[in-house]
């Protein structure tokens, strides 16, 4: 009987969870980060779809759904990319609810590269009383998001938003 291969000889293929609803218990490894950076670079030059980048990011961080779209009150439908988002909620968001977000008014003055959770800008008690939350976010089962704001002004500025469901742990500020 042959001896098992030493651990160093077994190639690492990144972390994968059987159930994507369970967030990672440890931060992504260097290989995971390097692969993601490569995907972002390829997507930015047209070599890979942004959907693949968002999907990989959701898997690494234990998110449920995500979107990349223009930040602010501009028409979010223009150039928006959605991953695992319920299509029935996209048009209402584009037509109405993006203007109702209690978080967006505070984001206009954030510097490029800012990363935050929705509860860092709006206290949870105030957030859960809004029309935005009760009529748009809550019916989807979503609760906590982490957002990144890109560089640029007005419609050129991009927003990356990753969501977790109500039954998942909320994004922590360290995320």
């Amino acid at each position: 009987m042959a001896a098992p291969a030493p651990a160093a000889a077994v190639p690492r293929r990144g972390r994968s969870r059987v159930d994507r609803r369970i967030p990672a218990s440890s931060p992504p490894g260097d290989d995971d980060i390097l692969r993601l950076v490569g995907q972002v670079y390829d997507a930015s030059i047209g070599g890979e779809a942004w959907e693949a980048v968002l999907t990989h990011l959701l898997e690494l961080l234990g998110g449920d759904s995500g979107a990349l779209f223009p930040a602010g009150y501009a028409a979010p439908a223009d150039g928006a990319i959605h991953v695992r988002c319920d299509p029935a909620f996209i048009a209402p968001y584009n037509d109405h609810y993006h203007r109702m977000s209690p978080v967006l008014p505070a984001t206009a003055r954030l510097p490029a590269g800012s990363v935050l959770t929705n509860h860092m800008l709006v206290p949870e008690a105030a957030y859960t009383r809004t029309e935005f939350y009760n009529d748009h976010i809550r019916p989807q089962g979503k609760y906590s998001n982490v957002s990144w704001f890109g560089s640029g002004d007005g419609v050129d500025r991009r927003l990356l938003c990753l969501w977790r469901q109500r039954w998942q742990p909320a994004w922590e500020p360290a995320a």
Side-chain angles (χ1 to χ4, degrees):
M1 177 173 212
V10 178
R12 185 168 183 264
R13 294 198 169 101
R15 294 179 305 132
S16 63
R17 292 179 305 282
V18 174
D19 189 342
R20 69 177 175 87
R21 299 175 302 174
I22 301 171
S25 59
S26 62
D30 290 344
D31 291 343
D32 297 319
I33 299 297
L34 289 174
R35 181 171 167 243
L36 181 63
V37 168
Q39 283 182 308
V40 169
Y41 178 77
D42 289 345
S44 68
I45 61 172
E48 186 166 345
W50 282 106
E51 291 86 357
V53 173
L54 287 178
T55 300
H56 187 198
L57 191 55
L58 288 167
E59 289 169 359
L60 284 178
L61 299 178
D64 180 71
S65 60
L68 176 63
F69 49 89
Y73 294 108
D78 297 340
I81 298 167
H82 298 90
V83 174
R84 300 183 192 148
C85 294
D86 186 338
F89 287 90
I90 294 172
Y93 177 82
N94 292 342
D95 296 339
H96 177 70
Y97 288 106
H98 76 279
R99 288 185 214 88
M100 308 289 297
S101 171
V103 175
L104 282 180
T107 63
R109 58 186 178 270
L110 293 173
S114 294
V115 178
L116 53 101
T117 67
N118 54 324
H119 300 300
M120 290 170 75
L121 289 178
V122 179
E124 182 178 5
Y127 181 77
T128 57
R129 286 192 308 266
T130 65
E131 177 183 350
F132 177 77
Y133 174 76
N134 285 294
D135 292 354
H136 183 69
I137 300 301
R138 187 173 177 218
Q140 297 178 70
K142 295 179 182 183
Y143 175 68
S144 177
N145 75 37
V146 63
S147 300
W148 170 85
F149 296 89
S151 61
D153 295 324
V155 295
D156 293 332
R157 192 169 199 193
R158 296 285 180 208
L159 166 64
L160 171 68
C161 187
L162 305 176
W163 285 93
R164 283 190 175 161
Q165 294 287 329
R166 183 86 172 139
W167 45 264
Q168 291 178 294
W171 294 101
E172 297 173 5

